[in-house]
Amino acid sequence: MITWKNMDTLASYQALKATKPVALAAAMSGENGAERVRSYTTPMGAGMDFNYGARPVDETILEALAKFAEEAQLTEKFAALYNGEVINTGEKRLVLHHLCRGQLGGDVIADGVNKREFYLGEQKKITEFVNKVHAGQITNAAGEKFTTVVQIGIGGSDLGPRAIYLALENWAKVEGCLKMKAEFISNVDPDDAAGVLSKIDVAHSLFVLVSKSGTTLETLTNESFVKDALIKAGLNPSNHMVAVTSETSPLAKSSDYLAAFFMDDYIGGRYSSSSGVGGCVLSLAFGPEVFAQFLDGAAEADELAKNADIRKNPALLDALIGVYERNVLGYPTTAVLPYSQALSRFPAHLQQLDMESNGKSVNRFGEPVNYATGPVIFGEPGTNGQHSFYQLLHQGTDIIPLQFVGFKNSQMGSDVVIQGSTSQQKLCANVAAQIMAFACGKEDTNLNKKFEGGRPSSIIIGEKLTPAALGALLAHFENKVMYQGFAWNLNSFDQEGVQLGKVLAKKVLAHDTDGALKVYSDLLNI
């Protein structure tokens, strides 16, 4: 039987706190360090490996983490989630995004519907629609093919799909499967929509409106912005728009759209990239076969996330080490540092995934917790970040754990040898050097040039950033975040923290304000 308890009530957590910290600089030095890096690695699916050699753990701490995972019933809670128990206690909902990309457990029946079959059915509808668009069977009014797809959505309807598109755009060009250029409109700032509209040919553009409720203020505002542009161009908006929404939303059966594809309340926005939220735009951009490869990679990582052995479960292991860093070592921030320009927006997606899921100060029963929970997440691609915030990472007063991502080969294959090495080799040399510099530091009598070291990191390594590798990468972090939520006894699947600002914004727009809120409204000329 599963029990949900605060972390600080568990004997295994108290034992974890009593373990002796690792002297990371010493542990990573010499042949002992080499053997540590070789042995502290585990596969994470789609040819990717999770290496935690430079994280602040040893055999004693790993054993303590395994006992904590066992007492906290972490893999049992994951199984309860994918088998269809009500895990989102705040909204009394199931959490089923895994069913979009595999069958981890038994059939999940909810509301009288087999949810696996429902999600696969919507994927099939999207595939059929996309194939007709690519074949020129669905066209604009002039009978011409659509060449651009524009996603209109915000939060999880934008961040994940946008990050994935950008990650695969150059790969698709090389592979000859970039079917349509994709653009994204998310911000209610009119400059966002106007900027996108100014650089596309609206007559050959298909717009994907994504809103589960059909009432999202920013999304509906941008939809009106786009419809106005289409009308001004002499076009019928209903010939250029599709909806991704729920079956009960006002968008579901509207004649304003060429087609509507459905999701439900059991797939949260920040976990929705493998549903129709990502599936429609990414299939239009790259083809359904590429999106299927992405889902297959995610499914591989999901299977590994079921393993009760923490050393064979990279998502759980990453989560547990993160809990140790946050709650025992007291590190409040984590940096995600992909050494791949294609992953330029991946840290932004992880910010929402992690901070919206576990940025909570009450447990899943609405009771205050007495320990730190989700860390602050930030990041930029290497090597750009090295010339930006790495100064603080190396010599600042806070120790910030680092999560590197690197690939042995570039996506496009175009490179040049300069000073005896290629650009890709230089990129990989930088990430290897940074890991060791952070871990071991450098002694110097000039304190301005001294590096303390002891700064922990892990690295996810792959051969090349492909759709399958990207799927595994996404699923790894999704499962890591969920495992940390279980460890902290949080509900990682609601987001009440985004609601208050929305309510007050509506009051401002209705001119129903007083006090300081009215003054701010007046200052902004609302």
Side-chain angles (χ1 to χ4, degrees), residues 312-323:
K312 297 178 181 178
N313 185 333
L316 176 56
L317 182 58
D318 197 2
L320 288 166
I321 298 173
V323 168

Side-chain angles (χ1 to χ4, degrees), residues 493-510:
F493 308 103
D494 64 3
Q495 54 283 330
E496 292 299 325
V498 306
Q499 301 303 324
L500 178 58
K502 291 181 179 181
V503 172
L504 292 180
K506 289 180 179 179
K507 290 174 69 70
V508 171
L509 291 171

Side-chain angles (χ1 to χ4, degrees), residues 369-388:
V369 296
N370 298 315
Y371 43 80
T373 59
V376 173
I377 302 293
F378 76 100
E380 280 288 325
T383 57
N384 291 29
Q386 293 178 198
H387 296 267
S388 175

Side-chain angles (χ1 to χ4, degrees), residues 441-485:
K442 179 178 76 75
E443 287 295 328
D444 200 297
T445 55
N446 181 345
L447 295 185
N448 191 51
K449 297 184 178 184
K450 180 179 179 179
F451 292 74
E452 292 289 348
R455 314 231 164 186
S457 68
S458 58
I459 182 168
I460 293 169
I461 302 174
E463 291 291 331
K464 180 189 289 189
L465 182 53
T466 63
L470 184 60
L473 189 66
L474 179 81
H476 171 88
F477 281 102
E478 286 182 351
N479 294 325
K480 172 198 170 183
V481 166
M482 290 189 297
Y483 270 130
Q484 289 188 328

Side-chain angles (χ1 to χ4, degrees), residues 104-341:
L104 293 181
D107 287 339
V108 176
I109 309 298
D111 309 320
V113 175
N114 183 312
K115 285 298 174 180
R116 170 69 172 156
E117 292 181 1
F118 171 70
Y119 299 141
L120 288 179
E122 292 305 306
Q123 287 177 10
K124 184 178 179 182
K125 281 170 54 181
I126 290 171
T127 295
E128 291 171 350
F129 175 83
V130 167
N131 286 338
K132 289 179 181 178
V133 171
H134 291 164
Q137 295 172 334
I138 295 175
T139 65
N140 67 7
E144 299 162 336
K145 281 188 175 184
F146 293 109
T147 58
T148 302
V149 54
V150 182
Q151 179 115 320
I152 307 171
I154 197 165
S157 301
D158 169 73
L159 289 164
R162 187 194 296 251
I164 294 165
Y165 173 77
L166 292 174
L168 295 178
E169 183 180 24
N170 285 334
W171 172 88
K173 289 176 182 176
V174 172
E175 297 295 321
C177 58
L178 184 61
K179 309 289 187 180
M180 299 171 70
K181 173 76 173 175
E183 300 285 350
F184 296 83
I185 298 173
S186 60
N187 200 331
V188 76
D189 180 345
D191 286 344
D192 189 14
V196 170
L197 290 168
S198 71
K199 64 181 178 180
I200 64 172
D201 176 4
V202 293
H204 296 89
S205 296
L206 193 60
F207 296 87
V208 180
L209 184 79
V210 183
S211 173
K212 184 161 53 180
S213 67
T215 61
T216 310
L217 174 65
E218 294 92 340
T219 302
L220 296 184
T221 300
N222 281 324
E223 179 193 28
S224 297
F225 203 111
V226 167
K227 282 183 173 179
D228 184 63
L230 288 165
I231 291 168
K232 287 178 178 176
L235 303 167
N236 183 347
S238 65
N239 293 331
H240 290 261
M241 304 195 82
V242 300
V244 178
T245 188
S246 68
E247 290 181 291
T248 57
S249 92
L251 310 179
K253 294 177 173 61
S254 171
S255 60
D256 290 347
Y257 308 102
L258 281 168
F261 308 110
F262 301 128
M263 52 181 163
D264 57 33
D265 286 335
Y266 305 138
I267 296 180
R270 56 194 175 275
Y271 297 97
S272 67
S273 292
S274 47
S275 75
V277 172
C280 187
V281 64
L282 296 171
S283 294
L284 283 165
F286 306 127
E289 301 81 7
V290 172
F291 187 65
Q293 294 169 32
F294 167 79
L295 296 181
D296 288 343
E300 280 191 55
D302 288 340
E303 281 294 328
L304 291 170
K306 295 165 58 176
N307 202 315
D309 182 346
I310 70 168
R311 303 203 194 205
K312 297 178 181 178
N313 185 333
L316 176 56
L317 182 58
D318 197 2
L320 288 166
I321 298 173
V323 168
Y324 174 72
E325 290 169 338
R326 184 78 174 102
N327 296 100
V328 178
L329 300 180
Y331 303 152
T333 307
T334 297
V336 179
L337 308 170
Y339 274 62
S340 167
Q341 188 60 31

